[in-house]
Amino acid sequence: MTPLVDIGANLTNRSFARDLDDVIARAFAAGVGTIVVTGTTVPASVDSLALARTRPGKLYATAGVHPHHAAEVDHEVLAELRALQAEPEIVAVGECGLDFDRNYSPPADQRRAFADQLAIACDLGRPVFLHERAAHADFFAMLREHRPSFPRGVVHCFTGTGDELDAYLALDMHIGITGWICDDRRGVHLRELVGRIPADRLMIETDAPYLLPRDLKPQPRNRRNEPGLLPHVLRAVAAARGESPETLAASTSATSRVFFGIDGVTEAGRTRR
Ligand SMILES: [Zn+2]
């Protein structure tokens, strides 16, 4: 089977601090060939970059500020995010977006931080790793406004409605699907929707340590998700699409490599720059 790409894993989360090497080794052993480590603040993005450099050609990272931390975004933060985009292991701007579910940062700060990060992606021609929760209308309006100017964007951990999905696809967005689809209470609607996503727009992710698939048996005692469980997500998405896991592995990996532009980035690529 084609090695999988986990497009979103929060490997710098402190829940991995004690056994990160084992977690990464398990992922590779399970058939995950590439992991994109999610950056959620400047320090987390710097840590993600450092981690990516320990596994050249296998780990990559994003650099951005999650909407929960939007209140911290100032000129200095934006300058650091912009500088990080020059690093070969950094493959996208994000995670950025809007999250009005808990409003850890005030909505006005979230809109500003999101617009500023979209502007970086537009200026530098970078792909964007996007987070939206309970904010579809505002989020979509901002995406549409900037859409002509950034090359590619993935709505990560999509859990929305059919109308929301159609709207994103009409904007030529990519869609990231997590183990949410394995949830018999909240994820059933996704099983009908994933068949609408063209293969060249569909990617898969664990969002580890969050979103442990609810149908996984036995459930690990610590309830922690990890990238080695991506094949479980793959099988659920493949079943919902009426495809074989092998077919979906090949298409999602190809789509992810093109999206993040990761084929040319190796240790050699680093020294060339
Ligand atoms: Zn997210």
Side-chain angles (χ1 to χ4, degrees), residues 66 95 131 156-157 207:
H66 190 283
E95 132 173 54
H131 173 106
H156 113 95
C157 191
D207 204 24

Side-chain angles (χ1 to χ4, degrees), residues 128-146:
V128 196
F129 188 86
L130 296 153
H131 173 106
E132 179 271 321
R133 194 153 179 218
H136 174 76
D138 288 47
F139 176 82
F140 186 77
M142 291 180 67
L143 268 191
R144 186 168 51 192
E145 182 192 333
H146 288 83

